[in-house]
Amino acid sequence: MGKGFFNVPVAINEPVKSYAPGTPERDAVLKAYKDMYNSQVDVPMYINGKDVTTGNTRTMSPPHDHKHIVGTYHLAEKKHVDEAIATALEARKNWSQMPWEQRAGIFLKAAELIAGPYRAKINAATMIGQSKNIYQAEIDSACELIDFLRFNVQFMTDIYLDQPESTTDAWNRIEYRPLEGFTYAVTPFNFTAIAGNLPACMALMGNVVVWKPSNNQIYSAKVIMDVFKEAGVPAGVINVVFGNPGMITDTVLASPHFSGLHYTGSTPVFQNLWKQIGNNIENYKTYPRIVGETGGKDFVIAHKSAVAKQVATAISRGAFEFQGQKCSAASRAYIPSNLWDDVKKFVIEDVKSFKMGSPEDMSNFITAVINEGAFDKLASYIDAAKNDADAEIIAGGNYDKSKGYFIEPTVIVTTNPKYETMCTELFGPIITIYVYDENKYSETLKLVDETSEYALTGAVLSTDRYAIVEATEALQNAAGNFYINDKPTGAVVGQQPFGGARASGTNDKAGSAQNLLRWVSPRMIKETFVSPVDYRYPFLGE
Ligand code: NAD
């Protein structure tokens, strides 16, 4: 161990492939899609390097074709969760001592496996299981996950290089120890990349992990585990359990060895997890790290100087890509009265041009929302808007769950800036627009800041630099990722570290060294070369 200062490969963002007609990547992903769609996979849990089946299974179906079955997955009982914890703690003995360059090698290999032999498969799994169109699958399950894996290795070495000053007679060193105990990753359905990154980045830093994916993301979670296995993640380092989130969480959080939660998902679940950890605090051997990236009510505000076509595109892409199921999706917009006629015309044109259907037909821009619960919730907000006097639907407004959970991209215009859909996270293809008096920009900025409990992403569009400066100041705490003249979605690892504050999370910026710092507990080592032999200091002299 320790026989060189190794430079890691310089991390670069994985180029996004086009999937245009006639390209080899399009043929490859469509073939993978067909093969996977027309067969059934049985997904075991993965504990101590072994596939674990329980016989207690649930089926998996594509959201865009919910009667079609593509496989089953196995549900954990409490004893499986206990086993995952025990095995992780056992694996920690070796894994926490593994030289960092060996850990790096494993996860760099995982990145290359996804970039190459697993690319079509992980994209197809994400298209089938989470209903992403090919472009949304590519930027998430392939490129973003590859980027996380590559950049994290670079961030890890940046952290390790951060060392204190020393003197000639004493050498000061900081060791970035993994947390003592095991960590817990709880991941959402909407990004395959987040599902892979949350356990992987903790393991990269030397931790052992129990990972509970969302029941709506198990199809692509299986591909992630296949990649980790092939890349050489040793048995017990990342253990995957499926099933009842409450039971799994209760079991994990009851262990005195629980040392960190890496969570992404909705705000209420995170708040409950935090409370549960708080209630157990005296039982833990170490204060657990808590990182949670949660909900959003992300805004677009246009100044009267903005370009209407640019504003409309920020809305059409920002609100509706992946059916608005991005934590960063634009879901409330504030449009000045002078631009409204044009913005309205362009947005309606865009929405009318969207094609909706299965992701297998690559001309579809919009596919289904994740499950029936999401569908019913979104439909109820659309119904309410149809009946409320202060709301009007100007585009979309239809829904149909006969074959898949299809919600038409919907634009609500409200005269009430505090209308329910201006404040509540809906997590679907619905945006609400409030048209403001073009001369009340400052007042409207205040409104944007005060309307929602969240503070994840937001965008200002303007050609007037003074207006941009004013928004940047006034909205300082309203978004952790703030965009100028762009849509509020599409953060890229290494370029726009991601996370929000207020009810949107702990803002530990996934895709940056700041996040990785949460998964280590530094140990300061001071080595004195010539040790003193007399306690008396000179000032004690007579
Ligand atoms: P969700 O809250 O339904 O589920 C998230 C995870 O929590 C899943 O693994 C789920 O099984 C688990 N869970 C649910 N109930 C639980 C319980 N009682 N105890 C323990 N775990 C429980 O969220 P989702 O629908 O999968 O994802 C969408 C949400 O995630 C949105 O609110 C979105 O804004 C948020 N999100 C945030 C970010 C971010 O970076 N801020 C990124 C992606 C998604």
Side-chain angles (χ1 to χ4, degrees):
M1 276 193 265
K3 299 187 188 70
F5 293 114
F6 310 113
N7 294 330
V8 296
V10 176
I12 48 157
N13 290 112
E14 176 65 12
V16 178
K17 291 185 188 283
S18 85
Y19 296 89
T23 54
E25 64 265 20
R26 184 175 174 115
D27 294 345
V29 81
L30 284 174
K31 181 178 180 314
Y33 186 103
K34 276 197 178 64
D35 291 348
M36 291 161 77
Y37 205 78
N38 295 318
S39 54
Q40 293 202 3
V41 62
D42 187 48
V43 184
M45 295 184 288
Y46 190 67
I47 301 169
N48 197 18
K50 294 190 197 75
D51 291 344
V52 176
T53 55
T54 61
N56 182 10
T57 57
R58 294 284 179 279
T59 55
M60 299 185 296
S61 294
H64 47 277
D65 188 3
H66 51 64
K67 293 193 184 73
H68 180 79
I69 292 173
V70 290
T72 46
Y73 64 95
H74 291 254
L75 305 186
E77 294 160 29
K78 184 177 179 304
K79 67 176 183 192
H80 300 110
V81 185
D82 286 331
E83 197 187 325
I85 295 169
T87 206
L89 291 170
E90 187 57 32
R92 187 181 185 281
K93 292 175 188 161
N94 288 329
W95 182 245
S96 62
Q97 301 305 318
M98 178 78 87
W100 68 261
E101 73 276 12
Q102 306 297 335
R103 286 184 264 124
I106 290 172
F107 289 103
L108 289 171
K109 176 168 179 171
E112 293 322 290
L113 287 171
I114 298 167
Y118 281 86
R119 193 180 198 117
K121 192 168 187 197
I122 203 162
N123 278 336
T126 302
M127 293 164 79
I128 293 171
Q130 291 137 272
S131 267
K132 292 206 173 194
N133 68 30
I134 177 56
Y135 180 73
Q136 293 301 314
E138 167 79 358
I139 59 173
D140 163 23
S141 59
C143 300
E144 188 173 348
L145 184 49
I146 295 164
D147 289 352
F148 274 131
L149 294 166
R150 287 183 184 152
F151 277 84
N152 283 342
V153 165
Q154 189 175 304
F155 298 143
M156 173 177 71
T157 54
D158 291 345
I159 289 172
Y160 288 175
L161 280 170
D162 189 6
Q163 294 292 330
E165 296 296 318
S166 294
T167 56
T168 51
D169 60 346
W171 187 5
N172 299 317
R173 307 189 287 269
I174 289 187
E175 266 184 355
Y176 292 91
R177 301 173 300 181
L179 304 181
E180 194 177 7
F182 72 96
T183 60
Y184 183 35
V186 180
T187 57
F189 82 83
N190 67 332
F191 275 91
T192 305
I194 296 176
N197 178 50
L198 265 49
C201 75
M202 296 193 291
L204 174 70
M205 301 309 285
N207 297 285
V208 289
V209 188
V210 175
W211 170 28
K212 197 211 78 58
S214 159
N215 288 340
N216 295 301
Q217 186 263 327
I218 286 175
Y219 203 54
S220 57
K222 156 93 172 98
V223 185
I224 293 172
M225 274 322 293
D226 289 346
V227 168
F228 288 168
K229 268 192 259 182
E230 189 168 334
V233 176
V237 171
I238 297 178
N239 303 280
V240 189
V241 288
F242 305 134
N244 179 337
M247 180 280 287
I248 295 172
T249 297
D250 289 350
T251 309
V252 165
L253 299 186
S255 168
H257 303 287
F258 163 69
S259 64
L261 168 70
H262 203 183
Y263 172 87
T264 299
S266 62
T267 298
V269 171
F270 183 55
Q271 292 183 347
N272 279 328
L273 291 174
W274 193 308
K275 279 184 207 155
Q276 221 175 324
I277 294 167
N279 288 337
N280 279 341
I281 200 70
E282 64 274 17
N283 300 331
Y284 299 130
K285 292 207 156 170
T286 184
Y287 290 107
R289 301 288 166 91
I290 304 178
V291 171
E293 300 306 332
T294 63
K297 189 69 195 172
D298 310 299
F299 59 83
V300 168
I301 175 160
H303 180 251
K304 64 184 174 188
S305 65
V307 179
K309 190 75 181 131
Q310 293 174 1
V311 176
T313 304
I315 290 174
S316 299
R317 283 187 169 174
F320 299 125
E321 284 186 301
F322 188 36
Q323 297 74 258
Q325 298 170 119
K326 300 187 182 191
C327 49
S328 55
S331 63
R332 54 185 171 125
Y334 302 77
I335 309 298
S337 43
N338 64 315
L339 295 186
W340 176 232
D341 286 347
D342 283 345
V343 171
K344 180 178 177 179
K345 180 169 86 86
F346 294 138
V347 170
I348 291 176
E349 275 171 17
D350 282 351
V351 171
K352 284 196 170 145
S353 74
F354 293 163
K355 274 186 67 193
M356 184 163 72
S358 160
E360 188 179 3
D361 174 351
M362 291 205 180
S363 64
N364 287 326
F365 186 66
I366 304 290
T367 65
V369 299
I370 193 67
N371 58 28
E372 189 166 23
F375 177 93
D376 290 346
K377 182 176 122 181
L378 294 161
S380 75
Y381 281 105
I382 290 176
D383 288 346
K386 285 177 181 163
N387 294 319
D388 289 338
D390 47 359
E392 182 198 357
I393 292 179
I394 62 161
N398 297 309
Y399 46 79
D400 179 358
K401 64 175 173 182
S402 51
K403 183 171 169 68
Y405 303 115
F406 290 105
I407 301 268
E408 230 174 37
T410 297
V411 181
I412 301 172
V413 178
T414 183
T415 50
N416 171 9
K418 298 279 173 83
Y419 182 67
E420 177 150 23
T421 61
M422 291 296 282
C423 312
T424 308
E425 183 185 51
L426 308 188
F427 218 60
I430 301 175
I431 187 166
T432 310
I433 294 177
Y434 173 69
V435 181
Y436 71 91
D437 176 341
E438 70 201 69
N439 297 314
K440 294 209 167 144
Y441 181 62
S442 304
E443 295 87 329
T444 307
L445 288 174
K446 195 162 182 301
L447 197 56
V448 174
D449 187 47
E450 291 173 353
T451 294
S452 143
E453 62 179 317
Y454 298 109
L456 191 49
T457 75
V460 61
L461 290 102
S462 171
T463 58
D464 175 342
R465 187 50 68 168
Y466 288 108
I468 292 170
V469 169
E470 188 181 349
T472 307
E473 281 302 306
L475 300 173
Q476 190 174 162
N477 296 309
N481 283 56
F482 186 64
Y483 293 80
I484 298 169
N485 289 324
D486 204 343
K487 63 183 168 57
T489 59
V492 175
V493 177
Q495 297 185 34
Q496 297 99 22
F498 191 78
R502 295 186 182 161
S504 291
T506 53
N507 200 13
D508 288 290
K509 295 290 186 225
S512 79
Q514 273 165 281
N515 181 284
L516 299 192
L517 267 175
R518 300 300 311 274
W519 311 119
V520 289
S521 178
R523 174 166 75 151
M524 177 60 228
I525 298 173
K526 177 188 177 190
E527 179 177 351
T528 296
F529 296 128
V530 181
S531 308
V533 290
D534 183 355
Y535 88 89
R536 292 172 190 81
Y537 294 105
F539 74 87
L540 293 172
E542 290 294 316

